[in-house]
Amino acid sequence: MTTSDLIALSPELIVTVLALLVLVLDLFLPPERKAWLSRISLLGLLAALVANALIHEPNPQAWQGMLASDAISGYFNFVMLLIAALSLMLSSDYLQRQGLERGEYYALLLTSTLGAMLMGSSADLLMVFLGLETLSIPLYILSGFARGQSRSQEASLKYFLLGAFSSAVFLYGIALVYGATGTTNLAALSQQLGTMSASPLLLAGAGLLLVGLGFKAAAVPFHTWAPDVYEGAPTSVTAFMAVMAKAGAFGALLRVFMLALPQQSQLASDWGLLVGVLAALTMILGNFVALVQLDLKRMMAYSSIAHAGYLLVAVAVSAAGGETAGLATSSLLFYLLAYTFMTLGAFGVLLLLERQGENLALNDLAGLALRHPLASAAMALFMISMAGLPPTAGFFAKFYVFSAALSAGNLGLVLALIGVLTSVVSVYYYLRVVYYLYMRPAAVERPIYASSSWATAALVIAALGVLVLGILPAPVFAWTQQALALVLP
Amino acid sequence: MEQVLFWLMAVVAVVSALTTISSRRPVHSALAFLVTLLSLAVLFLLLSAQFVAVIQIIIYAGAILVLFLFVIMLLNAQSGEGPQIKLPSQRPLAIALALLLFGGLSYLLLSSPLGAARPLPAGMGTVQAVGGILFNHFLLPFEVASVLLLVGVIGAVVLTVKEDEQPK
C-alpha cells in the first residue's frame, strides 16, 4: 500500500467513511434532526466528487492490480456520485412522509454507491465480484425498507434470492475464466488472450459472467425480477436502484467485455453476437410489455429494461473493434449520464405525488398540468427524453448508440434497425403519460408534496441536465472520447 | 490412493448434496449438507489447500451448520412441505433447463485442453502463505469484504428490529 494507492482510492474511501459517519451520527441525533444526515451525506458526496476531480495521475494497476484509477473510472465515479447525490436530495422529504426516515437508509445508499464505484474502476475480476455484492446487498435491504408493507418485503426477498443465484453464476464464471487463463487480473487476461486461441472453457466462463451482469442490468431473459421489485420497493429506492444498478452493471461490462476481452479474436465475435441477441430481445420485450402497463412504477420498470437493451447495443457493437469500439464505448458512457438525468427526474416527479402506501397509476396523473404546471412540464420533458425525441438528452444518447451500431457491419445494422423501431413503439407509452397530464380531466384532486426545496433542486438539476445534454451534447461526448483515448493504447 | 480418495469423496459430495435438496425433513437436509461440507474439506486437502480445508470444517461444518440446526429447532420446522406449487409446469421445465446447462458446461469443460499441471509454490496452502497473500496482494478485496460484512449486519438489524423499539 503506497500513497498513490490511497490517492487512487480516495473517492471510494470518502464514501466509505461517510457511510460509517452517518451510521454513528444516527445514534446521537434526535428524531426531529434526522434531516441532518441527508445534508451531511450530500456534503460528503460533494467532497468525494472534488477528490475524484483532483485525481490526475492515472494508476491503472493500483492496489497491486486490483483497482484501475484512470479517466474512465473518473467518469464512472462522477456519474455514480451524481446519482447518489440526486437520489438523496429526492428521497429525504419522501422518507419523512412515508415514515421511513432512519439513518441506516443513508448508510446503505452510500455503501451501495461504493459498490458501484468499485465495479466501474475494478482491474480484477475479484474486485468486480466484490463490487457487485457491495452494490447489491444494500439494494436487497433497501427494497425491504418499508417493512410494514408486504409488497416491499416480497420485493426484497425476491430480489435477494434471484440476486444471490446470479452472483453464484457470476462467481462460477470467474472460476472458469481463471481455469482457462490462470489469472483474474483484467489487464493480464487481455494480454494472455492475445497469445492463446479461444478455448471453450473461456467461452463458458465469459458466458456465465455475462449472465451475472445481465441480471444486474435487467437484460432479457434475466429481467423477471425487475417489475416486481421496482413495484414493491419504496419509490425512492426504486429510483436509486434503477439507475445505480445499471451504472454498476454497465461499468463492469465495460471493464470486462469492452476493455479486457480483446477485440480482434474469435471470442470477440462470439460474445458480440451473444450480447447482440440479448440486446435485441431486451429492446423488444421491454418496449412492448411497457405498452400495457397502467401502474407507473411497473411501466418505468419495463422502460428501464428497454433502456438496458439500448445500452447493450453499445456493448455488442464494441466487439467489432477498431474505431467502432471507441465510438460504442463513448456512446455507452454518454447514454448512462443521459439515463441518470431522465430516470431520476421522472421518478422524482412521482415521488412528489405519492401518498403513503399507494402506488401511482396512470389515472392519478390526469389533469395534473392545470394545477401543477411546473411539475407536469418537468415530467413531460423527462418522458420526451426517454422516448428519444429532440431536443433532449435521450435523443442524442440514442443517436450516438445507433450511429456507432451503423458502423459495425450487419449485426450493428440489424440492432440499429430494431432499436429505432422499438423507440417508435416507446413513443406511445411515454407520450401517453404526457397526454394524461395535459389532456385528461382530473378525476380527483390530488395534493402535490412540493414543499421540499431539496427535491425541487434535484428536479431542476435533472431537467437542466436533460436539456443541456440535448442541446449541447458535443462537450460531454468529447469528454467521454477523451477519457477513452487516455485509457486505450 | 489419491485418485481413490478423490472419486470416493466426489461421489459422497454429489450424493449428499442431492439429499440436501431432495429430503423432506429440514434436519435431514442439514445433516446431509454437513456430509457435503466434510467431503469438500477432504477435496480441498487433496488439492493441498490445508488452510481452506480446516476453515471449511471450523466455520461451515462447525459454526454455520449449528446455526442452521438451531433455527430449524427453534422454528420447530418439522417437515419441509412448502405451500402448493402454483405453476406445476415449472418443475419439468426447470429440470430440463438445468440438464441443458449441465450438458453444455460439461461439453465445454471436457472439450477444452487443460495445460500440464504446474508445480505448486513452496508453502502453498499453509496459514502463513494464505495470510501473506491476503494481507499483501489481496488487501483491497479483503477490506471491501469487511465493508460487505458490515452491510450484512446492518441489514439484519434494519429488517428485524421490532417496530415499536425504533425511534419514529
Side-chain angles (χ1 to χ4, degrees):
Chain A
M1 185 174 72
T2 59
T3 326
S4 65
D5 283 344
L6 283 176
I7 292 174
L9 194 67
S10 57
E12 284 91 344
L13 275 177
I14 292 176
V15 173
T16 313
V17 170
L18 190 63
L20 298 177
L21 182 76
V22 166
L23 205 57
V24 174
L25 274 182
D26 180 41
L27 297 174
F28 299 104
L29 281 178
E32 66 272 14
R33 293 254 182 95
K34 294 281 187 209
W36 276 100
L37 293 176
S38 147
R39 284 170 215 166
I40 290 167
S41 308
L42 272 176
L43 262 178
L45 287 173
L46 200 64
L49 269 173
V50 171
N52 183 46
L54 287 179
I55 299 176
H56 279 304
E57 203 69 17
N59 191 352
Q61 295 286 323
W63 296 90
Q64 314 203 2
M66 290 296 154
L67 194 84
S69 169
D70 48 29
I72 287 193
S73 69
Y75 185 86
F76 270 117
N77 283 347
F78 167 73
V79 173
M80 285 154 182
L81 290 168
L82 184 75
I83 295 169
L86 286 178
S87 308
L88 275 176
M89 289 163 85
L90 285 174
S91 55
S92 77
D93 188 51
Y94 171 84
L95 291 174
Q96 239 165 26
R97 222 165 50 234
Q98 302 271 340
L100 295 175
E101 187 165 56
R102 286 149 66 191
E104 294 93 348
Y105 181 93
Y106 302 107
L108 289 171
L109 193 139
L110 291 169
T111 37
S112 189
T113 309
L114 169 74
M117 288 165 74
L118 288 173
M119 280 174 96
S121 45
S122 47
D124 195 291
L125 284 174
L126 204 58
M127 284 307 294
V128 178
F129 175 71
L130 281 169
L132 184 77
E133 289 297 282
T134 315
L135 166 75
S136 309
I137 290 181
L139 287 182
Y140 306 150
I141 303 164
L142 285 173
S143 310
F145 214 75
R147 289 185 312 162
Q149 302 171 14
S150 56
R151 260 189 337 194
S152 175
Q153 290 179 351
E154 182 191 329
S156 178
L157 188 68
K158 265 185 189 163
Y159 196 16
F160 170 66
L161 290 177
L162 290 174
F165 191 68
S166 81
S167 294
V169 171
F170 186 79
L171 204 54
Y172 194 22
I174 296 180
L176 292 187
V177 170
Y178 182 72
T181 60
T183 180
T184 54
N185 184 287
L186 290 175
L189 192 70
S190 162
Q191 235 169 23
Q192 186 147 11
L193 290 182
T195 58
M196 66 187 274
S197 57
S199 85
L201 197 59
L202 185 68
L203 203 62
L208 293 179
L209 292 183
L210 188 63
V211 172
L213 294 176
F215 175 87
K216 275 291 149 243
V220 176
F222 317 112
H223 68 287
T224 44
W225 58 276
D228 287 355
V229 174
Y230 278 41
E231 188 189 0
T235 309
S236 63
V237 176
T238 310
F240 175 72
M241 166 164 62
V243 191
M244 191 60 95
K246 279 221 166 51
F250 280 96
L253 275 171
L254 187 138
R255 288 276 172 204
V256 178
F257 283 90
M258 295 162 101
L259 296 181
L261 299 186
Q263 316 290 339
Q264 301 297 338
S265 77
Q266 172 65 34
L267 189 68
S269 66
D270 279 349
W271 68 253
L273 184 66
L274 200 63
V275 178
V277 172
L278 286 187
L281 285 176
T282 309
M283 287 186 291
I284 293 171
L285 188 130
N287 279 313
F288 276 95
V289 181
L291 285 177
V292 293
Q293 302 301 324
L294 294 178
D295 182 302
L296 283 169
K297 272 160 92 180
R298 277 188 95 82
M299 189 204 93
M300 289 297 286
Y302 281 104
S303 132
S304 96
I305 292 173
H307 284 290
Y310 298 121
L311 287 159
L312 277 175
V313 170
V315 180
V317 298
S318 77
E323 207 168 310
T324 311
L327 267 182
T329 315
S330 302
S331 70
L332 176 90
L333 294 175
F334 185 88
Y335 202 116
L336 272 178
L337 189 61
Y339 179 74
T340 300
F341 284 129
M342 57 200 192
T343 306
L344 281 179
F347 272 113
V349 177
L350 296 186
L351 282 169
L352 289 182
L353 289 170
E354 197 177 298
R355 276 183 294 225
Q356 188 160 6
E358 70 165 0
N359 257 6
L360 288 172
L362 204 51
N363 255 330
D364 295 327
L365 293 181
L368 200 71
L370 281 178
R371 283 168 296 126
H372 306 288
L374 282 177
S376 306
M379 188 67 173
L381 176 70
F382 298 132
M383 286 296 136
I384 288 169
S385 176
M386 290 228 185
L389 301 174
T392 55
F395 170 72
F396 277 104
K398 280 183 181 157
F399 172 77
Y400 286 133
V401 168
F402 295 153
S403 56
L406 283 178
S407 64
N410 281 337
L411 175 70
L413 191 67
V414 173
L415 286 177
L417 200 65
I418 296 177
V420 171
L421 287 180
T422 51
S423 296
V424 173
V425 171
S426 77
V427 170
Y428 171 72
Y429 64 84
Y430 288 128
L431 290 193
R432 188 171 54 184
V433 173
V434 181
Y435 167 75
Y436 269 78
L437 285 171
Y438 283 91
M439 313 281 188
R440 279 283 181 111
V444 275
E445 286 285 308
R446 291 183 62 86
I448 184 165
Y449 302 92
S451 56
S452 158
S453 49
W454 285 110
T456 316
L459 281 180
V460 169
I461 293 175
L464 277 179
V466 166
L467 280 176
V468 168
L469 287 185
I471 295 166
L472 288 170
V476 176
F477 195 67
W479 179 24
T480 63
Q481 280 181 318
Q482 268 167 13
L484 205 62
L486 288 175
V487 175
L488 289 179
Chain B
M1 173 64 191
E2 269 190 28
Q3 284 282 323
V4 176
L5 204 54
F6 169 76
W7 284 109
L8 187 67
M9 281 303 135
V11 170
V12 170
V14 170
V15 170
S16 57
L18 284 177
T19 317
T20 308
I21 55 170
S22 61
S23 163
R24 288 196 174 273
R25 288 177 170 274
V27 178
H28 290 185
S29 285
L31 291 177
F33 187 47
L34 175 69
V35 177
T36 314
L37 293 172
L38 290 176
S39 47
L40 282 181
V42 176
L43 288 179
F44 284 136
L45 214 52
L46 285 177
L47 292 168
S48 42
Q50 301 97 325
F51 181 67
V52 180
V54 172
I55 287 293
Q56 172 93 357
I57 292 178
I58 296 178
I59 308 272
Y60 276 92
I64 292 184
L65 208 87
V66 170
L67 208 62
F68 273 153
L69 286 172
F70 258 123
V71 171
I72 291 169
M73 285 167 185
L74 280 179
L75 293 180
N76 202 14
Q78 283 299 318
S79 92
E81 301 258 4
Q84 207 78 40
I85 297 172
K86 289 210 179 103
L87 294 167
S89 61
Q90 268 189 337
R91 187 179 285 248
L93 193 66
I95 292 176
L97 286 177
L99 282 178
L100 191 70
L101 180 68
F102 178 72
L105 281 178
S106 328
Y107 168 74
L108 285 174
L109 293 190
L110 291 177
S111 63
S112 55
L114 288 179
R118 281 181 238 171
L120 291 176
M124 151 96 190
T126 60
V127 181
Q128 197 182 5
V130 172
I133 286 184
L134 198 59
F135 288 103
N136 285 311
H137 189 72
F138 290 108
L139 180 63
L140 183 63
F142 179 78
E143 298 294 346
V144 175
S146 66
V147 175
L148 195 56
L149 290 178
L150 176 72
V151 172
V153 175
I154 299 173
V157 173
V158 167
L159 294 178
T160 53
V161 166
K162 278 200 188 124
E163 205 71 53
D164 47 9
E165 285 171 16
Q166 98 201 12
K168 277 278 168 189

